[in-house]
Amino acid sequence: MNNGSTPRLPTPPAAGRSRRGRKRVWIVLASLLVVLLLLVGVDRAAVAYADNQAAQQMKSQGFPTEPNVTIEGFPFLTQVISRNLHDVHVTANRIQEGPVTLSLVADATGVMLDPGYQSGTISHITGTGLIGFSNLASVAGVAGAPGLSFKADGPDKVKITVNLQIITASAIAEIKQTGPDTFKVHITSTDGIPAQLLGSLKDFTVHIPTLPMGLSIQNVDVTSQGVLIHATGTNVKFSQGQ
């Protein structure tokens, strides 16, 4: 029944209300982003602190200088809660024993911490140590043959050069592991080096510095940089008091 009045049409949503809704969504998203950034910041700060503490503990357990320690994996805090550090990377530049200086790179995986976080077990660790050719030449000098230089001549051999004032002579030596912490430099051929000049260099032993973290030497080989020591360890126990 029409009484003459104009029918009312549906009122469209206010434009302002739609803008307010979108604004609330952006505020929520921004708040979530801030929270996530704060959590990431806390996680990274925690792992940096743990890296530093681990380095100090390792120094107290045999490193001559404080090593660089990096606990890999993200997030770190979940690893702490589970007391399981997935991968710990360690580098140390100067591990010294007598005239021999060794640089070390090691990776420990499956580091299980005890409830008090003061001790634990390293499931597996692998490492490589390098004795550079310049250091090897210094060791040979101590052995009684100064003025030498070394370079690689295969996976288990080095070429030794003697720079004399008049002539340059050379020799080939074999590198072979002879004990749990030693390898021998044994000359197999010479080219112009007088026997009296060789002295004890003909067959001398190099003592490898004691490796930390339960690493046991498996084998040695020759690279372009020097003598490379390969080492491993399994189920290595450690504690803060060691």
Side-chain angles (χ1 to χ4, degrees):
M1 181 175 180
N2 188 352
N3 57 7
S5 61
T6 303
R8 292 184 178 180
L9 297 176
T11 303
R17 188 183 307 167
S18 176
R19 286 195 296 269
R20 285 195 297 271
R22 288 196 297 269
K23 185 177 180 180
R24 280 196 294 268
V25 170
W26 282 113
I27 290 173
V28 171
L29 291 176
S31 299
L32 289 174
L33 180 60
V34 169
V35 171
L36 288 174
L37 290 175
L38 286 173
L39 290 175
V40 170
V42 169
D43 189 89
R44 294 300 85 192
V47 75
Y49 175 80
D51 289 346
N52 182 61
Q53 291 297 306
Q56 292 181 18
Q57 290 302 319
M58 288 181 185
K59 180 181 178 183
S60 69
Q61 295 176 28
F63 281 90
T65 59
E66 188 170 297
N68 293 318
V69 178
T70 304
I71 300 174
E72 306 286 357
F74 178 82
F76 167 68
L77 292 176
T78 58
Q79 298 182 62
V80 174
I81 293 171
S82 63
R83 303 199 312 275
N84 181 6
L85 305 181
H86 305 316
D87 186 4
V88 180
H89 184 72
V90 180
T91 59
N93 292 325
R94 293 188 64 84
I95 299 176
Q96 190 166 2
E97 185 170 308
V100 181
T101 301
L102 175 142
S103 59
L104 176 71
V105 177
D107 281 286
T109 56
V111 181
M112 305 300 298
L113 301 171
D114 293 335
Y117 294 93
Q118 302 298 310
S119 59
T121 303
I122 301 173
S123 299
H124 187 66
I125 183 169
T126 58
T128 55
L130 179 69
I131 298 174
F133 283 136
S134 60
N135 186 237
L136 189 60
S138 298
V139 176
V142 172
L148 305 173
S149 61
F150 287 70
K151 70 176 182 178
D153 192 62
D156 62 348
K157 290 182 174 62
V158 293
K159 183 177 181 179
I160 305 172
T161 301
V162 182
N163 294 313
L164 304 175
Q165 291 183 352
I166 302 175
I167 62 170
T168 298
S170 63
I172 301 298
E174 182 183 38
I175 302 291
K176 184 178 180 180
Q177 185 179 0
T178 53
D181 60 353
T182 60
F183 66 86
K184 184 172 287 187
V185 180
H186 174 67
I187 288 183
T188 57
S189 64
T190 63
D191 180 14
I193 298 181
Q196 62 270 22
L197 180 64
L198 291 175
S200 57
L201 179 66
K202 288 183 289 188
D203 199 9
F204 73 96
T205 297
V206 177
H207 291 271
I208 302 169
T210 302
L211 300 180
M213 299 185 296
L215 283 167
S216 177
I217 297 169
Q218 302 300 307
N219 64 286
V220 300
D221 58 31
V222 178
T223 71
S224 61
Q225 295 178 306
V227 178
L228 195 66
I229 292 95
H230 301 270
T232 62
T234 55
N235 298 323
V236 178
K237 302 290 184 180
F238 66 90
S239 67
Q240 191 176 33
Q242 287 181 340

